[in-house]
Amino acid sequence: MAEVRARWKGRPHFLMAAVGSAVGLGNIWRFPYIAYVNGGGAFLIPFFVALLTAGIPLMMLEYGLGIRMQGAPHVAFSKIKRGLEWIGWWSILAAFVIITYYAVVMAWCWNYLYHSFTLAWGEDAKGFFFSKVLQLSGGPAELGGIPMGILLGLLITWVVIYFIIYKGIGRVGRVVMATVPIPVILIGILVVRGLTLPGAVDGLNFYLTPDFSKLLDPKVWLAAYGQVFFSLSLAMGIMIVYASYLPEDSDVTNNAFITSFTDAGTSFFAGFAIFSTLGYLAHATGVDISKVAGAGPGLAFVTIPTAISLLPFAAAFFGVIFFLTLLTLAVDSLFSLVEADVTAMIDKWGIRRERATFVICFAAFLIGLIFTSKGGLYWLDIVDHWINNYGLAAIGLAEVIVIGYIVGTKPFREFINSCSEVKVGIWWDYMIKIVTPIILGATLITSFIGEIKKAYGGYPMWALIIGGWAMVVGIIVVSFLLMRAKGKGGEST
Ligand code: PHE
């Protein structure tokens, strides 16, 4: 007897959860920098074009699939055609890979939350991060043990995630009511602090002064599409799973617009916090802003801490605020990925949610130990590069090809319109059939050419083969095996 599928308490819960997944570390440590290197204020043009021509159409596709098929991505694709189930597994496994290292980044954040009370990084934030906290080894071949602080952080992360997920979608819905607004408020505090510092205006000029000549560079456009896909958490099965807990006649289009614009707005807003602070850092140290601007862990764990130490008063307070922001940004992105995998297990084998959650959390914890080790940062960097460049784009491409050419955009659009407040026109068909496949195809090809031209990050070839190519091929092979594995196809509760 099939059980009744669990439901969100209401539309706001679903929307908050989707926004929580989309708004993550990428909004604060990726968007501002990508905008700055790709034309500053002028980047907003390709960014919005990418949002409207690919991000939102693909989000509608994923919401539509989840609502219509009422199941995890593998269920959705196998309902389209039995032999396509593997595409769903592909996204679920890619999500699992991201989970294993995203949790480690959260582990660093817990450590820094603790260290910010005493501003423990002192004068040398760089040395502190790499030598003290990560205890970074000489290269990917030297794993060399696990620093206790990070291990503890990883454990805390997984306990927190387990308790949020194991009870089901109802609890997720309640948790996001806090974890979504909190970081936005905290970013607001950081913006006010940043803007009232000397040098802030120079920082903002750097961030936003438009360089329209960049719009002629195709790389800038690809960067915009890449940022949109990443930021909206597309192609990882998340939006399909979250939408599958909505009733079958739920709105698609308006939900997609709301989620996407909220995410984009938060990115733009976070840029004010980051660049005003960088402007202050440049002002206080006399170093040019172009030298201090950066993205990723270097920005969050070295540059911003350096600036925080230089604050005129209450530096520790703002340090705590900053790392709380990162933690609350990251947590709902992480559990959205976990939820996608847990739902997939429940939908395939009909096992109990507690058990599925435990299996995923524990397995991800164990694999995460690699990224926690002293050589872990190298592996994290390699795996992240491959999953973002080949996982995301390839899965997105498969999705639009299946809907565009196997299901057909017209019947799919008619379904979407039958339950949506805002009706989409034929433009959606063109975006799914032509624009998005071309962009994703071009992204895959340019990334691949880049790989051949230069070994990524200067790492030894064997490490790139293991952490990059073998990982990607492994995911595809396992996807096929999972498709063939017998399931119960039970519904979740
Ligand atoms: N959207 C999240 C961010 O911007 C990252 C993310 C990507 C989360 C893919 C889940 C899946 O940080």
Side-chain angles (χ1 to χ4, degrees), residues 21-27 98 102 230-233 236 238 333 336-337 392:
S21 175
V23 176
L25 293 173
N27 296 59
I98 299 187
Y102 213 88
F230 177 83
S231 197
L232 296 183
S233 301
M236 291 293 129
I238 298 168
S333 295
S336 70
L337 288 157
L392 238 118

Side-chain angles (χ1 to χ4, degrees), residues 252-263:
V252 173
T253 55
N254 209 6
N255 281 340
F257 280 115
I258 295 173
T259 320
S260 306
F261 284 124
T262 313
D263 178 61

Side-chain angles (χ1 to χ4, degrees), residues 258-410:
I258 295 173
T259 320
S260 306
F261 284 124
T262 313
D263 178 61
T266 313
S267 286
F268 185 61
F269 187 49
F272 285 81
I274 294 297
F275 272 88
S276 59
T277 309
L278 293 180
Y280 171 66
L281 179 61
H283 173 89
T285 57
V287 180
D288 198 71
I289 304 186
S290 63
K291 297 270 181 318
V292 295
L299 174 74
F301 298 102
V302 177
T303 313
I304 298 289
T306 307
I308 287 171
S309 293
L310 293 170
L311 288 179
F313 67 91
F317 171 75
F318 289 104
V320 170
I321 295 284
F322 179 69
F323 288 105
L324 268 181
T325 310
L326 293 190
L327 278 169
T328 47
L329 278 175
V331 71
D332 36 23
S333 295
L334 179 58
F335 68 63
S336 70
L337 288 157
V338 177
E339 178 58 50
D341 283 8
V342 167
T343 299
M345 283 181 77
I346 299 173
D347 286 353
K348 176 85 178 180
W349 291 291
I351 50 177
R352 285 203 349 263
R353 173 174 272 272
E354 292 89 332
R355 179 175 291 181
T357 310
F358 182 79
V359 169
I360 297 284
C361 292
F362 192 62
F365 169 75
L366 288 182
I367 296 174
L369 294 178
I370 301 171
F371 305 117
T372 315
S373 72
K374 294 179 183 171
L377 182 64
Y378 303 116
W379 290 104
L380 194 155
D381 188 29
I382 296 170
V383 172
D384 179 58
H385 175 82
W386 256 264
I387 223 58
N388 277 326
N389 281 281
Y390 303 99
L392 238 118
I395 295 165
L397 186 60
E399 287 182 345
V400 288
I401 289 176
V402 169
I403 301 301
Y405 296 95
I406 297 179
V407 175
T409 41
K410 191 158 177 274

Side-chain angles (χ1 to χ4, degrees), residues 429-452:
D429 301 33
Y430 294 117
M431 298 309 148
I432 294 296
K433 278 175 111 137
I434 300 165
V435 176
T436 313
I438 290 178
I439 296 292
L440 290 172
T443 306
L444 283 170
I445 294 168
T446 25
S447 310
F448 190 69
I449 294 174
E451 242 58 78
I452 296 174

